Amino acid sequence: MTTVLQDMLATAALSGIPVVANADHAPLEGGEDPAFGTVRWRTLFCADRTATSGMVMGIAEFGALGTLKPHRHGPAEMYFGLAGSGIVTIDGTAHEIGPNVALFIPADAEHGTVAGAEGLRFLYVFPRDRFSEVEYRFSES
């Protein structure tokens, strides 16, 4: 049996098994591309990294007054506030986000985030297998 076939069978076998992710063990990513702003993130579920499909989930982290610049992408997205506070502007309307606040962002809606003075952490979810399938289109400055 070829290695590729063995990998495919192993992935198929794992597809029905629950997967657990611990945010404390996920590496902090981002921060290198100024087009995004200052946001960093921890990827929890993504088919490139975990035996999961259909959803990408991670945690966005912002320092004091940190930003995610206005952008659009094809899939809808959901945010769920974990800590701190901030403003998420969706198609020109400002929405407060903080602990226990959920936001639904429709597909192709322009949205951006500015964290409050204490920073901000929120969970994000995309209905895609991989984060790489989400094409960010940043708005003009």
Side-chain angles (χ1 to χ4, degrees):
M1 197 180 315
T2 68
T3 303
V4 173
L5 181 55
Q6 288 171 329
D7 290 347
M8 288 172 56
L9 290 173
T11 299
L14 291 174
S15 64
I17 297 173
V19 178
V20 175
N22 185 326
D24 292 336
H25 300 149
L28 191 59
E29 303 174 72
E32 302 89 31
D33 186 348
F36 275 80
T38 60
V39 64
R40 310 244 357 237
W41 59 89
R42 298 177 191 275
T43 303
L44 300 177
F45 296 117
C46 175
D48 292 339
R49 301 171 188 203
T50 55
T52 58
S53 63
M55 299 288 231
V56 170
M57 185 172 83
I59 297 174
E61 300 187 10
F62 299 79
L65 307 177
T67 61
L68 172 55
K69 293 188 177 182
H71 62 282
R72 300 173 188 272
H73 39 70
E77 184 177 15
M78 290 185 277
Y79 291 174
F80 183 77
L82 300 172
S85 67
I87 300 294
V88 178
T89 302
I90 305 170
D91 281 338
T93 301
H95 303 274
E96 292 184 20
I97 188 167
N100 300 321
V101 173
L103 294 173
F104 174 80
I105 302 165
D108 289 315
E110 182 184 63
H111 58 289
T113 303
V114 178
E118 69 279 9
L120 173 65
R121 290 180 71 231
F122 61 74
L123 185 76
Y124 62 85
V125 177
F126 291 106
R128 292 291 185 266
D129 291 333
R130 295 168 183 78
F131 187 73
S132 62
E133 296 172 0
V134 180
E135 182 184 339
Y136 280 71
R137 300 181 317 273
F138 286 92
S139 306
E140 297 295 320
S141 298

